[in-house]
């Protein structure tokens, strides 16, 4: 699972690589045409329009190729990494803490603690789910990286070291994505 910082850096590098590729191809065409292309404020001609069109096509093609290669969100790529997805900790809802099964009231999700450590999850099924069976991600993991986990599990825990910060339910995740 990649963090928000890693996705933003990948977006910046993919964007810059696309820009360099498009500029180099446009320069190569400009030199191939003998430097006669003009596309600017002072004037333009057919060669200049051809160079501009090549730049746009090369930039768009290399952006699409970069997104496919890095699997980053489109908004992160098109802003050169300025805007990235949220971290999982910002989408996580806090869970109630229960020291024993007897204290659980049967409403909502709760973390079962024994001797000060979380050991299970209550409220997801009719029995206690051990924390090893519930998928968990680090707090700085990008929210867009959670999609494969929701195909098999209705909830993902967000942890920071040994501490459970909260949980991201499937419904909240898809609401965040706008689906």
């Amino acid at each position: 699972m990649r963090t928000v910082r890693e996705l933003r850096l990948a977006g910046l590098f993919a964007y810059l690589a696309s820009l360099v590729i498009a500029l180099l191809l446009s320069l190569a065409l400009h030199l191939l045409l003998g430097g006669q292309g003009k596309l600017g404020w002072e004037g333009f001609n057919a060669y200049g329009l051809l160079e501009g069109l090549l730049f746009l096509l090369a930039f768009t093609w290399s952006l699409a190729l970069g997104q496919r290669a890095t699997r980053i969100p489109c908004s992160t790529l098109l802003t050169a990494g300025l805007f990235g997805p949220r971290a999982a900790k910002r989408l996580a809802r806090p869970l109630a803490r229960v020291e024993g099964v007897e204290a659980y009231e049967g409403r909502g999700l709760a973390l079962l603690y024994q001797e000060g450590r979380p050991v299970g999850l209550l409220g997801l099924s009719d029995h206690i789910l051990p924390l090893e069976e519930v998928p968990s991600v680090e707090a700085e993991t990008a929210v867009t990286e959670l999609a494969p986990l929701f195909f098999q599990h209705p909830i993902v825990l967000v942890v920071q070291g040994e501490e459970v910060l909260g949980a991201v339910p499937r419904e909240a995740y898809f609401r965040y994505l706008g689906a």
Side-chain angles (χ1 to χ4, degrees):
M1 297 279 162
R2 298 179 293 179
T3 64
V4 175
R5 182 177 181 187
E6 292 169 346
L7 286 177
R8 291 179 71 182
L9 279 173
L12 174 65
F13 291 144
Y15 186 89
L16 291 176
S18 298
L19 188 61
V20 167
I21 288 169
L23 285 172
L24 287 176
L25 287 176
S26 181
L27 175 65
L29 181 63
H30 180 75
L31 295 175
L32 188 69
L33 296 174
Q36 295 178 357
K38 292 184 181 179
L39 182 65
W41 296 107
E42 299 273 331
F44 64 93
N45 59 14
Y47 293 138
L49 290 176
L50 188 62
E51 291 170 13
L53 181 62
L54 177 67
F55 174 84
L56 285 177
L57 290 175
F59 186 63
T60 304
W61 174 77
S62 57
L63 276 178
L65 191 66
Q67 184 185 23
R68 183 176 292 165
T70 58
R71 297 180 300 108
I72 55 177
C74 195
S75 60
T76 305
L77 178 64
L78 293 178
T79 60
L82 291 177
F83 296 110
R86 283 184 169 179
K89 69 180 178 184
R90 294 194 57 206
L91 199 58
R93 296 179 182 167
L95 294 172
R97 296 174 181 232
V98 183
E99 288 298 326
V101 180
E102 308 83 35
Y104 180 62
E105 297 176 0
R107 287 182 285 193
L109 294 173
L111 271 175
L112 178 62
Y113 277 79
Q114 286 181 349
E115 300 171 6
R117 295 187 63 219
V119 294
L121 188 65
L122 298 168
L124 197 56
S125 63
D126 57 352
H127 61 281
I128 301 170
L129 278 176
L131 284 186
E132 295 81 30
E133 293 181 17
V134 182
S136 62
V137 296
E138 284 295 321
E140 293 302 319
T141 301
V143 171
T144 54
E145 298 288 305
L146 303 180
L149 298 174
F150 285 115
F151 289 130
Q152 297 175 342
H153 305 282
I155 196 164
V156 174
L157 295 177
V158 179
V159 298
Q160 190 165 24
E162 293 290 319
E163 180 186 0
V164 177
L165 299 178
V168 180
R170 183 184 292 155
E171 296 81 28
Y173 176 74
F174 286 121
R175 206 173 25 249
Y176 168 76
L177 292 181

